[in-house]
Every structure is written in C-alpha cells, then in structure tokens.
C-alpha cells in the first residue's frame, strides 16, 4: 500500500515498536496530571473559555446572567469547544467537561503524530514520541486549545489522506471534505496547515510520477485535492469573522518569538534544556546519517518557513497568528522524520531522552500551575463579595511590568503568574452571574455575545486597561480614548486591580471602596 511513496528501510525491531504505546501512554498521563490536579488549571485563555462554556450550557437557567448575555450561533472558524463542551457540561459539569477537552487535545496530538508516521513509513517506531516535547509550549500556557485540538485533527487528516492515496479520487475528495469542515469549525490556522501539507505531498507525488507531463492523467488527483477547499471561501464570506479580514498586523521582530513558542516553558531553564537537546539530537542525526527526512517533510518545512516569514502577527483579528505556526510544523515534521537507530542502546537512549524531557516539561507545567492555583483561589474567594448580577471592571496596576507583545504580553517576570491571573476576574461571570468586559464575547469571534443594551461594554479582544487610565477617565476625561470604561462609575459596580500588592493606596478614593485584597489583587466596590 505504501510502496510508491515510502522510503526503503528495514523494519523496526520488535523491541522498539513494543515500547511505543506504553511510552505514549506514560507521556499522555504525565501531561494530563497538571490539568486534573486543579478544578480550574490556570492556563491562560482556559480560564476565560471555561466561563464561556458555563454560560453556553446554563444561560437559560441563570436569569441574572441572561440579563447581560445571549447566544447567537454563526459560522465561525473557532467553534469546536463551544460545540463539544456545553452538552457534556450539562451531564458531567463544566469543569470536568472542559478538562476532558484539553486532555482530548493532547490525545489527538500524540496519536495523530504516530498515525501520520505510520502512514508515511509503514511502521510504528519511536520517532513520533517526540510529540510529548511539544504538549506544553507557549500555545498551551496561553490556552489556545481550539487551535491545539484542530492541530491534532489535522495530523489525523493528513495521515488519512496518505493512507487513502490509492483509493478512487472521489473517495479521497469526499473524506478530505469532511476533514476540511471539521478543521474549519476547529480553527482556521489548523485548516491552513492541513492544506499546506497536502499541497506538499501532492506536489511531490506529481513530480515523482511525472504526472506534470500528462495533465489529463493528473487532473482527477488535482480535483480530489483541490475541490474540498473550495468550500472555505464561501464559508468565510458567510461568517461574521470576515469582518476582521482587514485586522492585520505584520511585525518582523515578532518572528523572534518562534523559539519561545516551540520550546518556552514556565521556567526558562526548561525551555533552554529542551531546545538544546533537540538541536544537538538533530545535529547528531544529520552528522551520523541516522536522521532521514522524507521529501514531503522537507517541502512542508520549507513552505512552512516561507509562510511563517510572510504571515502577519495579527490575522483575522487573532493575535500571534504567525507564532502558532512553528508548533504545527513541528508536529507535522515528526511524521516525516525517521530515526534509523541501529543498536538497542541507541533506541534505549532515544526513548529515555524523549520520555525524560516530556516528563520534565509536564512537571514544569505542574509546578507553575500549583504555584498559581492558591492565588487564583484567593480571587475566587473574593468573588463572594460581589453581588450577583453585577458589572465588574478588570484593570491592572500601573506598576505591573506588562511587557511588549514580543514577550507574549506578560504582566510580571513570572510567566505562570502572568498567564494564570490575567483572566481571573472573568470568573465572576460564572460564579456571580456578572458582566465582565474581558470575557470572550466579541462579535464575529464568539457565539456568546453581550445583549444590545450592554454591547458598548465589550472588552475589544479582552483589552484590560491600567488602573491609571481608569482614574484619568473621571479626572481628566479628554486625556485619552477611554473605550468601554469611559463612564465606569455609573456603568460598573466593582473594579479589580490585578498584579497589585496588599496595602496599595486606593487609586480613586472618591469613587472606590476597598472590599478585599489578596497577594496579587485588590477588589473595590464603586461608591
């Protein structure tokens, strides 16, 4: 089945293939532990996602919340969590359902890498276990789980296309159409990676078989490949997301974030150790000849690098569009890279290094989340001071570091703390039926929306102002554009100041009264 597009090589030793699935299970269990250790794992956007899942599942049962929010379904290329989790949440609870979704993302990524490798090389070997090195990266810490889930689906889709390569063109085209639709509702960028890899594969096949000399013979294959993607432009035109087609920002220096998005951890040392180990391993593999790269892999990597260089930082209103691509290319590349490890000692060494680094990265995630969880719990306890059905403005302290976008918009030097607490105030939506502007409710990007009477309080892509800007809105109204907080003393009942310190002076004493504070926040009630 695979002879016409796999490379020659001896079968992997029985001992090597026997260890793949136990090792994959170990890696998956280790990666899942940090997610299940806490009711709300503080993984960036995840905190915001879980509150949206609650609203989608229970809005019809929560009259206080329903006064602010409504659900308007639309064709949006970022819906998979919204479709899958709320029905599960009604059966097993929103926290369990949301964590299951994250675990499913990890499962798809690891098994998808193995499936793609099996489709390309015709066997199961140790190489794709390196997927464990990329389960906890900046994409995970930022909570980009729709993308990661879609990426796992894309790996399975690519594997399926290769396995079906000798089937009738109409069968391949129909199967690909199903994958295209699934990827469209999962994440548009995952769909793009699927298309890029199939383009590389079909281009290589066309060249290798000389099909370019006989266009009529190659036409059915070209149609099977291309026709399923023709449904994407009409879907985009029907989508409210098309309104963000001009929301584009290209920043050349942002390309330097690629290493961080591939290897970065909560602890910088973990990122450096992983990056150096991978670099040394590739260098040794190329020097010794143990590393073989399928031509399709080489083409995909080359095309991916070109797209990465050209891709903007913001695309369709989504930030870090280009920065997400390297992790996708890495997962795809694992399927097209083969390690020819001649001795049992080499295989044992490879397995030990990959598993050890995967466990290290999972442990790093667990330690970071364990450090933030008590701080997140302090914020959750403070929510009890908020009257149900209130409006809550989230701000951050003027003294917070708030680094540039080229360091992933951190508020402090502690990445776990910065990502973990950024969305904490939005939990008032779930636990106190409150309106919080930084909730994911932006029209065209989510199906959970603010009702018309409150639409002007949308946080504009979860933008959270400095408390100094909020103070200026009442003291110096014409100083700057105040956005949704312009009339905050009248429109909001409570104000959070994040990344502050206990005992910090009241920033607007004429309008605010302190009701509770924690190690990294203060909660004020508007007078």
């Amino acid at each position: 089945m695979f002879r016409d597009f796999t490379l020659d090589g001896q079968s992997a030793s029985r001992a090597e293939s026997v260890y793949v699935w136990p090792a994959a299970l170990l890696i998956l269990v280790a990666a899942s532990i940090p997610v299940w250790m806490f009711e709300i794992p503080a993984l960036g956007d995840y905190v915001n996602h879980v509150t949206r899942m609650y609203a989608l599942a229970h809005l019809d049962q929560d009259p206080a919340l329903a006064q602010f929010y409504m659900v308007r379904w639309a064709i949006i290329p970022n819906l998979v969590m919204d479709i899958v989790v709320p029905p599960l949440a009604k059966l097993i609870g929103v926290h369990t359902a949301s964590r299951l979704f994250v675990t499913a993302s990890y499962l798809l990524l690891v098994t998808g890498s193995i499936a793609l490798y099996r489709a390309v090389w015709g066997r199961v070997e140790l190489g794709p276990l390196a997927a464990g090195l990329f389960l906890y990266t900046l994409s995970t810490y930022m909570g980009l789980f729709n993308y990661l889930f879609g990426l796992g689906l894309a790996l399975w889709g690519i594997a399926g296309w290769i396995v079906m390569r000798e089937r009738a063109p109409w069968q391949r085209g129909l199967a690909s159409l199903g994958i295209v639709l699934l990827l469209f509702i999962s994440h548009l960028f995952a769909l793009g990676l699927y298309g890029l890899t199939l383009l590389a594969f079909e281009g290589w096949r066309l060249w290798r078989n000389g099909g370019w000399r006989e266009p009529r013979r190659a036409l059915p294959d070209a149609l099977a490949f291309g026709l399923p993607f023709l449904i994407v432009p009409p879907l985009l035109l029907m989508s409210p997301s098309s309104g963000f087609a001009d929301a584009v920002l290209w920043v050349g220096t942002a390309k330097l974030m690629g290493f961080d998005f591939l290897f970065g951890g909560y602890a910088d040392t973990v990122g450096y150790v992983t990056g150096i180990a991978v670099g040394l391993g590739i260098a040794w593999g190329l020097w010794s000849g143990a590393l073989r790269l399928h031509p399709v892999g080489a083409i995909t990597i080359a095309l991916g690098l070109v797209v990465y260089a050209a891709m903007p930082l913001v695309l369709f209103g989504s930030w870090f569009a280009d920065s997400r691509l390297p992790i996708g290319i890495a997962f795809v590349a694992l399927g097209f890279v083969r390690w020819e490890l001649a001795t049992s000692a080499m295989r044992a060494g490879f397995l030990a290094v990959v598993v050890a680094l995967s466990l290290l990265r999972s442990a790093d995630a667990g330690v970071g989340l364990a450090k933030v969880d008590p701080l997140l719990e302090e914020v959750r306890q403070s929510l009890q001071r908020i009257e149900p059905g209130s409006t809550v403005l989230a701000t951050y302290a003027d003294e917070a570091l708030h680094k540039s976008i080229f360091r992933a918009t951190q508020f402090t030097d502690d990445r776990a703390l910065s990502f973990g607490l950024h969305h904490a105030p939005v939990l008032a939506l779930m636990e106190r039926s409150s309106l919080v502007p930084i909730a994911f409710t932006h029209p065209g990007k989510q199906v959970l929306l603010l009702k018309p009477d409150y639409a002007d309080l949308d946080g504009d892509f979860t933008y959270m102002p400095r408390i100094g800007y909020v103070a200026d809105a009442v003291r110096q109204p014409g100083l700057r554009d105040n956005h949704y907080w312009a009339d905050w003393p009248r429109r909001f009942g409570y104000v959070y100041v994040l990344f502050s310190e206990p005992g910090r002076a009241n920033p607007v004493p004429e309008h605010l009264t302190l009701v509770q504070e924690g190690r990294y926040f203060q909660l004020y009630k508007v007078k």
Side-chain angles (χ1 to χ4, degrees):
M1 182 185 298
F2 305 96
R3 289 177 184 174
D4 65 335
F5 59 88
T6 55
L7 299 183
D8 294 333
Q10 297 181 351
S11 299
S13 70
R14 187 175 186 83
E16 180 177 357
S17 59
V18 161
Y19 288 119
V20 170
W21 292 112
L25 179 61
L26 175 61
I27 289 170
L28 281 169
V29 170
S32 300
I33 287 175
V35 176
W36 290 93
M37 284 171 61
F38 315 102
E39 186 175 54
I40 302 179
L43 291 167
D45 288 359
Y46 176 87
V47 179
N48 214 316
H49 288 316
V50 75
T51 62
R52 191 175 78 261
M53 298 303 105
Y54 169 84
L56 292 174
H58 302 293
L59 191 62
D60 57 345
Q61 305 163 18
D62 190 337
L65 193 62
Q67 69 176 315
F68 301 124
Y69 295 98
M70 63 181 180
V71 178
R72 181 179 296 163
W73 290 99
I75 301 173
I76 297 175
N78 189 25
L79 278 183
V80 64
M81 195 172 189
D82 302 58
I83 294 173
V84 172
V85 174
L88 279 177
K90 293 181 179 181
L91 299 174
I92 59 178
V94 67
H95 296 299
T96 301
S98 298
R99 287 177 293 181
L100 274 176
F101 182 83
V102 175
T103 306
S105 301
Y106 295 161
L107 178 64
L108 284 171
L109 288 169
V110 173
T111 59
S113 298
I114 296 173
L116 178 56
Y117 189 95
R118 173 69 175 80
V120 173
W121 302 100
R123 66 206 71 180
V124 175
E125 295 177 318
L126 298 176
L129 290 176
L133 304 181
F134 304 103
L135 296 181
Y136 281 103
T137 63
L138 212 55
S139 293
T140 311
Y141 299 137
M142 294 176 70
L144 307 179
F145 289 109
N146 274 343
Y147 172 64
L148 294 174
F149 188 92
L151 184 55
L153 287 178
L155 295 174
W156 275 100
I158 298 165
W161 177 266
I162 294 174
V163 168
M164 294 183 67
R165 190 58 186 78
E166 298 308 313
R167 298 283 186 90
W170 71 267
Q171 292 177 319
R172 283 182 280 124
L174 190 61
S176 184
L177 176 61
I179 294 296
V180 167
L181 291 173
L182 282 174
L183 290 176
F184 184 89
I185 65 171
S186 296
H187 205 283
L188 194 60
F189 299 160
L191 173 58
L193 186 65
Y194 171 75
L196 180 74
T197 309
L198 262 57
L199 176 64
F201 181 80
E202 289 300 312
W204 173 74
R205 283 271 302 177
L206 186 67
W207 179 265
R208 182 172 182 260
N209 296 333
W212 56 277
R213 298 190 187 96
E214 301 178 57
R216 292 183 62 183
R217 184 164 62 91
L219 183 60
D221 290 335
L223 293 175
F225 160 67
L227 286 179
F229 291 95
L230 294 182
I231 197 172
V232 176
L235 288 176
L236 280 176
L237 289 175
M238 290 187 289
S239 171
S241 300
S242 62
F244 300 106
D246 59 347
V248 176
L249 175 65
W250 191 92
V251 181
T253 49
K255 305 301 176 184
L256 301 176
M257 292 171 59
F259 178 90
D260 206 12
F261 265 80
L262 266 179
F263 301 112
Y266 280 144
D268 288 341
T269 303
V270 172
Y272 293 137
V273 168
T274 308
I276 291 172
V278 170
L280 290 176
I282 292 175
W284 174 81
L286 294 174
W287 174 77
S288 65
L291 183 65
R292 299 181 67 181
L293 178 62
H294 194 286
V296 175
I299 297 169
T300 302
I301 292 172
L303 289 176
L305 291 175
V306 172
V307 173
Y308 178 65
M311 202 168 180
L313 178 68
V314 179
L315 182 63
F316 278 98
S318 294
W319 281 83
F320 306 109
D322 56 349
S323 303
R324 307 179 199 207
L325 185 58
I327 186 68
I329 295 173
F331 276 111
V332 170
L334 290 176
F336 291 98
V337 170
R338 181 169 183 235
W339 291 88
E340 296 187 335
L341 305 172
T343 67
S344 59
M346 286 183 180
R347 293 190 287 271
F350 181 91
L351 181 63
V353 169
V354 168
V355 171
L357 285 176
S358 299
L359 297 183
L360 173 65
R361 296 189 67 83
S362 295
D364 176 52
V367 169
L369 293 177
K371 178 173 58 178
V372 177
D373 188 67
L375 306 176
L376 184 63
E377 187 60 31
E378 289 183 12
V379 177
R380 294 183 71 183
Q381 292 173 3
S382 73
L383 296 173
Q384 303 308 310
R385 305 295 300 273
I386 296 175
E387 297 178 12
S390 298
T391 51
V392 181
L393 176 62
T395 72
Y396 67 93
D398 292 322
E399 297 79 11
L401 188 58
H402 198 251
K403 293 184 177 179
S404 71
I405 57 174
F406 311 124
R407 279 285 289 166
T409 317
Q410 294 193 84
F411 290 88
T412 76
D413 278 321
D414 189 324
R415 177 172 281 175
L417 175 62
S418 180
F419 289 158
L421 288 188
H422 183 186
H423 297 276
V426 83
L427 292 173
L429 183 155
M430 175 170 60
E431 302 194 12
R432 305 305 288 172
S433 302
S434 296
L435 184 157
V436 188
I438 63 169
F440 288 151
T441 59
H442 202 65
K445 297 180 71 67
Q446 280 86 34
V447 297
L448 180 68
L449 304 175
L450 287 169
K451 286 188 171 178
D453 289 346
Y454 301 95
D456 61 325
L457 298 184
D458 180 74
D460 191 20
F461 301 112
T462 69
Y463 177 66
M464 186 166 59
R466 294 175 183 266
I467 187 60
Y469 292 177
V470 172
D472 289 341
V474 292
R475 293 172 178 168
Q476 305 180 66
L479 183 62
R480 56 173 56 88
D481 186 357
N482 293 311
H483 300 283
Y484 62 88
W485 64 87
D487 195 17
W488 65 267
R490 185 177 66 88
R491 303 297 301 278
F492 292 94
Y494 295 86
V495 175
Y496 268 105
V497 182
L498 295 182
F499 307 105
S500 184
E501 299 174 357
R504 179 74 60 180
N506 188 328
V508 197
E510 65 270 29
H511 288 289
L512 298 176
T513 300
L514 182 68
V515 294
Q516 190 162 331
E517 62 182 356
R519 281 173 282 180
Y520 287 95
F521 75 92
Q522 292 170 316
L523 172 62
Y524 294 93
K525 184 171 183 176
V526 179
K527 293 180 182 179

